[in-house]
């Protein structure tokens, strides 16, 4: 009997190890698949002529409306921004324009019937709960979804805490200005990326002070909701 039990344990061990390995591998793949469902909301923003630093990003809200950072769209009377989706450009109408120094948002509109059918049917929800430190988020740009988390304001330089309190970590990997910050669990829009926050760092080995990016600020959902015209 003891021999049979030991033999059974030996036979089961490889299967248990394989099952554990599959479970570990499955979780990131499953998470990535869930995040990828948000990718269709991400678009490129092209100024006219195209900006030298490359295309900016924006997020589709629904009903032909797109939101981006104000500095990505620029002074719209001059830049005449277009929405770019899968290589096609669409002319826009400016619904509301903010500013980099104020509310860093601009709301653009495209004639809904011009958009691809797969996009016209979509509606994006804006989060109603404020972001919390440690909360898991995903940043969305065309073709890329990268996870990060909310940083506590006390991690920021004192001079930036009051104005730029909604920030994420992983500065190098996550989406830049105009990209969407989504709540991982609810899949709602938590914010629009605005800018990097940096601070000086002294290196004793080189005796030089260098600038380090420590976080990325995003315009939170509460400001997005307040920015949208009442009829929307």
């Amino acid at each position: 009997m003891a021999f049979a039990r030991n033999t059974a344990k030996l036979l089961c061990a490889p299967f248990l190890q394989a099952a554990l390995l599959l479970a570990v591998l499955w979780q990131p793949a499953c998470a990535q698949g869930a995040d990828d469902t948000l990718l269709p909301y991400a678009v490129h923003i092209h100024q006219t002529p195209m900006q030298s630093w490359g295309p900016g990003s924006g997020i589709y809200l629904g009903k032909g409306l797109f939101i981006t950072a104000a500095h990505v769209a620029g002074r719209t009377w001059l830049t005449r921004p277009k929405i770019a989706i899968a290589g096609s450009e669409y002319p826009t109408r400016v619904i509301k324009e903010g500013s980099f120094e104020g509310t860093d948002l601009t709301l653009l509109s495209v004639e809904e019937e011009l958009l691809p059918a797969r996009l016209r049917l979509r509606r994006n929800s804006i989060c109603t709960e404020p972001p919390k430190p440690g909360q898991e988020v995903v940043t969305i740009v065309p073709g890329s979804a990268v996870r990060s988390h909310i940083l506590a304001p006390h991690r920021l330089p004192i001079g930036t805490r009051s104005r730029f309190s909604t920030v994420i970590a992983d500065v190098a990997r996550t989406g830049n200005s105009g990209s969407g910050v989504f709540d991982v669990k609810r899949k709602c829009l938590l914010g629009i990326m605005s800018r990097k926050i940096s601070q000086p760092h002294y290196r004793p080995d080189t005796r030089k002070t260098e600038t380090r990016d420590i976080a990325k600020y995003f315009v939170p959902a509460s400001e997005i909701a307040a920015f949208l015209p009442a009829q929307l």
Side-chain angles (χ1 to χ4, degrees):
M1 291 293 292
F3 175 77
R5 285 196 297 269
N6 290 335
T7 302
K9 289 179 181 178
L10 290 172
L11 290 174
C12 288
F15 291 104
L16 288 173
Q17 291 174 357
L20 288 172
L21 179 61
L22 285 174
V24 170
L25 294 174
W26 177 81
Q27 288 180 352
C30 182
Q32 185 62 48
D35 295 342
D36 287 349
T37 62
L38 296 169
L39 290 177
Y41 291 108
V43 300
H44 280 134
I45 306 293
H46 293 177
Q47 295 182 9
T48 308
M50 179 68 168
Q51 55 268 41
S52 60
W53 40 267
S57 296
I59 294 294
Y60 185 58
L61 296 179
K63 298 184 178 180
L65 297 172
F66 298 83
I67 195 159
T68 185
H71 71 275
V72 167
R75 297 297 177 89
T76 55
W77 63 270
L78 178 65
T79 63
R80 292 171 292 150
K82 297 181 180 69
I83 300 297
I85 304 171
S88 297
E89 289 186 336
Y90 301 87
T92 65
R93 181 167 61 93
V94 181
I95 303 299
K96 190 173 182 179
E97 181 177 332
S99 67
F100 186 66
E101 298 77 15
T103 302
D104 193 15
L105 295 172
T106 286
L107 184 65
L108 304 171
S109 174
V110 172
E111 292 294 334
E112 199 169 0
E113 60 271 17
L114 298 179
L115 296 172
R118 60 180 176 80
L119 197 60
R120 292 202 303 267
L121 300 175
R122 293 181 177 272
R123 296 292 182 270
N124 204 342
S125 61
I126 298 174
C127 298
T128 56
E129 295 184 10
K132 300 176 182 177
Q135 180 179 352
E136 194 173 15
V137 299
V138 57
T139 60
I140 301 295
V141 298
S144 178
V146 178
R147 289 203 175 191
S148 184
H149 63 276
I150 304 294
L151 285 178
H154 73 262
R155 300 279 298 275
L156 302 175
I158 294 177
T160 64
R161 292 176 188 174
S162 59
R163 185 180 177 193
F164 304 118
S165 59
T166 51
V167 293
I168 65 168
D170 302 316
V171 177
R173 299 186 311 118
T174 52
N176 292 321
S177 299
S179 60
V181 180
F182 285 81
D183 179 278
V184 165
K185 294 182 179 179
R186 298 177 178 83
K187 305 302 180 189
C188 57
L189 181 64
L190 197 62
I192 292 294
M193 201 67 74
S194 174
R195 71 199 74 189
K196 295 178 182 178
I197 296 179
S198 307
Q199 67 178 164
H201 175 76
Y202 178 73
R203 293 186 55 180
D205 57 334
T206 62
R207 297 183 179 180
K208 293 182 179 180
T209 298
E210 59 184 28
T211 300
R212 282 188 178 179
D213 297 328
I214 59 172
K216 280 182 178 176
Y217 164 73
F218 63 89
V219 183
S222 58
E223 290 191 34
I224 295 174
F227 182 80
L228 297 178
Q231 64 271 25
L232 300 179

